Amino acid sequence: MDPEKIIIRNMTRSELDQTMQRAAQEGWNPGLGDAEVYWAQDPGGFWVAEQDGQVLASISAVIYDDAYAFMGFFITRPELRKQGLGLKLGLAAMARLGNRVIGQDGVVAMQDFYRRHGFELAFRGLRWQAQGGGAASGHSVDPRSLPIEELLAYDRQCFPAPRPVFLQKWLSAPGAHARAVIAGGRLRGYGVVRPSHQGHRLGPLFAEGRAEAETLLQDLLAAAGESPVFWDAPQNNPHAVAMAQSMGLTHVFETGRMYKNGLPPWRAENVYGLTCLELG
């Protein structure tokens, strides 16, 4: 690597597909259709460091609105790590985010590095593995049958920023299954399961309480068929962790949700499963 020849630039759409493959190799297990949704949210939010036509490192710095952004895909080729390349790329990508609150999910080994650059740990994210299949409860509906305004309003309570483009594409991504719980004429939770490089990934899983979360989980597991299903539960919702433990599950992966420039507003007690590691 010649530092004088490094070019920092925006990622192309095809390079995002390649980055998804590298994320899978790192054990993050992204969804098979995630790239198209991510790109739709913010095409200018994906960056690479390149030398002589070869991508050496990647990162994303995706903007949701004037107050919130999220970083992910921080991947450097193994032989080039600890040489300052990732930091150079990260600072260049982060410059577009300004004073927004910035979130990211950092693997345990990188959390001290992120702390040195202004990120603070808010909570652990524990990935649980369940077995798909079983019977559906019959007590949930397809959220796409609901007024989109109602769904977006509920999602905004559980996520730090409005995300209409992201959410509509997430619900209709190839292979995705979405379910919602309605009670008393009011939306009380929804969730999505989608095919991933290994089995299925579940996220988000937002619910008013554990009963609604369990109904959604049962129906999403049924929709996934006979496949392993993974979801990332935030440790700062003890009901989410208790639900997984009550099923006899153990967590298989861990990240830390970290923020820079303060904490965003959201109803953590309603979040039983994070949407994704790459965009929050």
Side-chain angles (χ1 to χ4, degrees), residues 190-211:
Y190 86 94
V192 182
V193 68
R194 67 200 192 279
S196 60
H197 283 76
Q198 179 186 358
H200 282 70
R201 288 286 302 282
L202 191 156
L205 181 59
F206 298 158
E208 293 295 298
R210 181 167 166 178

Side-chain angles (χ1 to χ4, degrees), residues 208-256:
E208 293 295 298
R210 181 167 166 178
E212 292 88 349
E214 288 178 341
T215 295
L216 289 168
L217 180 59
Q218 177 181 345
D219 292 355
L220 293 168
L221 291 176
E226 296 298 324
S227 163
V229 177
F230 304 87
W231 87 96
D232 298 294
Q235 190 195 34
N236 65 338
N237 182 351
H239 299 295
V241 176
M243 184 173 73
Q245 291 174 334
S246 72
M247 298 171 64
L249 308 180
T250 56
H251 68 271
V252 295
F253 188 63
E254 179 180 331
T255 57

Side-chain angles (χ1 to χ4, degrees), residues 134-148:
S137 71
H139 299 303
S140 66
V141 301
D142 188 333
R144 292 174 296 181
S145 66
L146 306 175
I148 188 60

Side-chain angles (χ1 to χ4, degrees), residues 28-47:
W28 300 351
N29 196 25
L32 297 179
D34 290 0
E36 192 65 32
V37 186
Y38 295 171
W39 191 260
Q41 176 60 39
D42 182 7
F46 303 90
W47 298 73

